[in-house]
Structure formats: structure tokens, C-alpha cells
Amino acid sequence: MRINSGIYWVSWANINAKNSKSLDDLASPFKENVTEFINALKDAGASVRINATRRSQKRAYLFHWSWLIALGKIKPSQAALETGVDINWNLGDDSSSVQAAKEIVNGFGLAVPPHSNVAPSLHSNHIIGKAIDMDITWTGTVNVAKKDGTKLNVHYTNNARNNPELLLIGESYGVYKLKTDKPHWSYDGR
Ligand SMILES: [Zn+2]
């Protein structure tokens, strides 16, 4: 039985479709690769704070379709189905359906125009467990081991994208920076 769209689904997702900050929830071999990279950084004296690892596909599904319906980009009847998320998007008339979708958008605090003009994505390396958002900090210079054991001196920069040595070290472990997203690293740089 389907449950009607509305604020209920935010509470539901906060229990049943949570995002993770744990390395254990990543997919192999990215999990092992990024763990080795982080250990090398910590061994050299850097601090690593993980903000996100795997994102829930069910949560992303609710983000995506609630946004499109709330903003009138699609008809409620056009939303795709998602196994394990038995939501009824179409409450019979458009204004009720839009209002219910807005409850979900607001409940999750999704960015809407003018802050964001694109729907939250259904596709992300976070969803397949192959991306991580992390803050890497240290003071001055650290000497970090690459995968092959050779070490590089790395001077601190506020944004990892501007740190060629840090990027080389990450790449040696199979962890690539997405340069347009400050904390984001993944298995393919996306
Ligand atoms: Zn990310």
C-alpha cells in the first residue's frame, strides 16, 4: 500500500534512508583505497574529517522527484517508481500534490531557485559508494607516503584542488579530486 506524499516521508527517510559518514559503507576497492590514503595522511600528522561517504539511493529519489513536482517541472503522475519507497506522489489534484511535495522539499531543506536551478541528482558516485567528502587539514608541511612508499612534502593549502602534491598522493591510491567541489574525492574524479 502506498503512503501519500508529504512531510511523513522526511521522517521516514531519517530512519530508513540515512546517508553515511562511515568508510565501512563504501564499495570495494574504493573503500580500501581511500582508507589507505587517509591512513597515510594521518600517519604524516594531518587531520581528516569525513563529512559524507555513501548516500542513500532512496533518499536521493525522494529529493529528486519532490523537487521536480514542488517546482511544477513535471506532473505528479510522471514521477518514477523506486523499489522500497512506496510513496504516492499523485494526490488526485495538482495543487494538493504540489503542496505535499513542497513539504518534503522544505523538510529536507533542499536548495531551490535562486540558490539552485537543478533538481538534486539521482546519480552520484556517493550513491554507489565510490565518493567521499572530507576536510584534510594540517599546519605547515607534512611528509606523506604515496602507495609505492615514496614520500612527498606537502605544503598546506586551503583548497586541495590547488595542491598538486596532495592530488598526486591521492591518485597513487586511486582517489581522485573533483576540482569543482571542495571536499569531494572519488574513484574517477567525478
Ligand atoms: Zn561529494
Side-chain angles (χ1 to χ4, degrees):
M1 185 183 118
R2 298 201 167 266
I3 295 172
N4 281 345
S5 177
I7 193 70
Y8 164 84
W9 285 97
V10 176
S11 321
W12 179 89
N14 287 339
I15 295 166
N16 299 291
K18 287 193 280 196
N19 290 334
S20 173
K21 293 182 179 184
S22 170
L23 292 170
D24 289 338
D25 290 322
L26 292 170
S28 295
F30 185 70
K31 170 168 63 177
E32 292 77 14
N33 292 345
V34 75
T35 300
E36 281 188 68
F37 178 38
I38 289 172
N39 287 342
L41 291 163
K42 287 181 173 174
D43 286 348
S47 297
V48 179
R49 192 181 70 191
I50 299 168
N51 297 313
T53 58
R54 190 187 282 269
R55 295 215 174 104
S56 160
Q57 183 171 332
K58 293 173 181 175
R59 197 176 185 89
Y61 166 83
L62 288 169
F63 282 17
H64 182 79
W65 295 105
S66 66
W67 195 97
L68 289 173
I69 294 168
L71 290 164
K73 305 282 187 190
I74 63 158
K75 292 282 185 191
S77 57
Q78 292 175 295
L81 299 177
E82 173 75 16
T83 303
V85 189
D86 293 325
I87 183 170
N88 174 33
W89 293 107
N90 186 358
L91 304 189
D93 68 277
D94 284 355
S95 72
S96 308
S97 305
V98 166
Q99 190 53 43
K102 280 181 178 168
E103 289 180 13
I104 299 177
V105 166
N106 293 335
F108 283 128
L110 302 182
V112 294
H115 303 293
S116 173
N117 292 307
V118 289
S121 177
L122 287 174
H123 306 286
S124 157
N125 278 331
H126 282 290
I127 292 173
I128 58 173
K130 295 182 177 180
I132 187 169
D133 292 347
M134 57 182 171
D135 299 326
I136 306 166
T137 53
W138 67 88
T139 305
T141 301
V142 285
N143 191 238
V144 186
K146 290 198 292 180
K147 174 87 174 177
D148 66 7
T150 60
K151 291 190 171 184
L152 288 179
N153 280 325
V154 194
H155 306 291
Y156 183 70
T157 56
N158 177 260
N159 191 326
R161 66 180 278 180
N162 301 322
N163 199 324
E165 289 81 15
L166 184 61
L167 301 186
L168 273 177
I169 293 163
E171 286 170 25
S172 78
Y173 291 97
V175 181
Y176 296 87
K177 188 82 202 69
L178 175 61
K179 295 187 178 178
T180 53
D181 184 339
K182 190 173 175 184
H184 183 100
W185 302 71
S186 71
Y187 84 111
D188 66 355
R190 290 168 181 259

